[in-house]
Amino acid sequence: AKTQGRSRVCCYQPSMQIEVERRLALESDLRRAIEDDRLSLHYQPQVDAYGVIVGAEALLRWEHETRGSVSPAEFIPLAEESNLIVELGEWVLREACRCLQALDAERLPRLSINISPRHFGESDFVTCIERAVGSSGIAPERLFLELTEGVLIDHLQGAVDKMRELKRIGVGLAIDDFGVGYSSLSYLRRLPLDELKIDRSFVQELDDPNDAAIVQTIIAISQHLALDVVAEGVETDDQLAFLSANGCERFQGFFFHRPLTFSALARVLPAPNYM
Ligand code: C2E
Ligand code: CA
Ligand code: CA
Ligand code: CA
């Protein structure tokens, strides 16, 4: 009992304290990164079955002074615990609209951004989207918002109302990581949606008959509900073949393109038409 007690003291506590300190440091760094413009968006193209670019997803990147490129998987959850996520979300929104402004619809038909549940839950979220779209002058249907099932759990009717207002503005609405969370088929019918995104965790395990069946089901549901379906995390031609054979027509993954800087994106898009 004595050794146990001691090991608890020497291993547990210090590591917890280090973790707390690490998070505090990261949070204040992130706040500074927003102020100092150390964030950027990278853009991962989405393609059709012929490899033609039909859109892109904006993915946040943070160049940290000492730690190098910090993954959003690491700092988004942290930002979500504070109001930082709202600032971050507004920054992403503005930047995405600038990208759409810079690349006309023939070159980049549409761009998707990730919306955090907390940002979506803000009372002025819809106004914020309306203002960003309005002041940039882009066609609203070129901007897609990727929502996770998390936004629907707490307050479904409130979320549905907000989504209707967003559709009134004209932006596209997608459910991201579909099937990973608490997906309930019953709510899907009630949502004014345009698209479902199949999470890469399913695409990468297509050898597993359960995952293959889930993917087939998601594609079938989206066809029944007349929604677009995008498969993310496509890395191999086998995955592409399975997805295509089952009716998926939109793909995103390293097999086609990695997330690209803005200028690299502009280079892989069709040349601008100066006529
Ligand atoms: P997500 O929305 O599921 O985004 C797709 C992730 O899959 C991206 O990771 C992308 O780089 C990665 N990916 C794409 N194709 C492949 C592939 O073929 N193979 C593999 N292994 N990975 C692939 P990333 O950029 O690290 O982003 C991680 C997550 O962070 C995103 O997952 C999203 O939930 C969140 N995130 C990224 N940007 C933002 C943002 O601006 N706002 C918010 N709220 N969340 C963001
Ligand atoms: Ca996404
Ligand atoms: Ca995903
Ligand atoms: Ca599995």
Side-chain angles (χ1 to χ4, degrees), residues 11-148:
C11 302
Y12 240 84
Q13 265 183 338
S15 70
M16 272 171 60
Q17 195 182 331
I18 289 169
E19 174 59 18
V20 168
E21 281 168 7
R22 197 186 67 88
R23 294 171 67 97
L24 284 177
L26 205 60
E27 190 178 319
S28 76
D29 281 5
L30 182 54
R31 184 157 283 137
R32 212 154 9 91
I34 298 176
E35 287 161 11
D36 297 352
D37 246 2
R38 294 190 129 269
L39 300 175
S40 63
L41 288 185
H42 281 208
Y43 302 90
Q44 186 173 34
Q46 297 177 340
V47 302
D48 67 14
Y50 304 98
V52 174
I53 295 175
V54 290
E57 176 177 5
L59 296 160
L60 202 49
R61 294 293 179 262
W62 174 15
E63 281 309 320
H64 189 279
E65 292 104 319
T66 54
R67 303 182 51 196
S69 189
V70 185
S71 159
E74 192 172 345
F75 67 86
I76 293 286
L78 193 71
E80 241 151 31
E81 287 168 23
S82 72
N83 249 4
L84 267 182
I85 194 67
V86 176
E87 274 177 69
L88 217 52
E90 286 171 1
W91 184 88
V92 168
L93 176 62
R94 282 194 301 274
E95 196 70 8
C97 288
R98 287 211 311 155
C99 170
L100 283 168
Q101 229 178 351
L103 302 166
D104 63 48
E106 277 160 48
R107 299 187 72 201
L108 185 67
R110 42 177 266 203
L111 181 64
S112 302
I113 59 176
N114 292 284
I115 302 294
S116 113
R118 184 160 174 157
H119 190 196
F120 182 85
E122 290 280 292
S123 57
D124 62 352
F125 179 73
V126 175
T127 318
C128 188
I129 298 288
E130 187 164 32
R131 211 180 293 134
V133 168
S135 66
S136 63
I138 56 163
E141 58 277 8
R142 293 179 68 206
L143 182 69
F144 265 63
L145 309 184
E146 295 191 357
L147 311 171
T148 52

Side-chain angles (χ1 to χ4, degrees), residues 176-177 198-200 232:
D176 203 3
D177 300 344
I198 305 174
D199 189 58
R200 70 172 194 267
E232 81 178 13

Side-chain angles (χ1 to χ4, degrees), residues 9-10 19-20 41-42 47 72 99-100 120 122 136 150-151 154-155 158 189 193 201 216 221 245 255:
V9 171
C10 77
E19 174 59 18
V20 168
L41 288 185
H42 281 208
V47 302
C99 170
L100 283 168
F120 182 85
E122 290 280 292
S136 63
V151 309
D154 292 342
H155 193 38
R189 260 183 319 127
L193 278 179
S201 60
Q216 285 172 316
I221 290 168
F255 183 69

Side-chain angles (χ1 to χ4, degrees), residues 193-196 219-229:
L193 278 179
D194 301 285
E195 178 180 278
L196 296 182
I219 296 171
I221 290 168
S222 57
Q223 287 170 341
H224 281 299
L225 298 176
L227 303 175
D228 286 344
V229 61

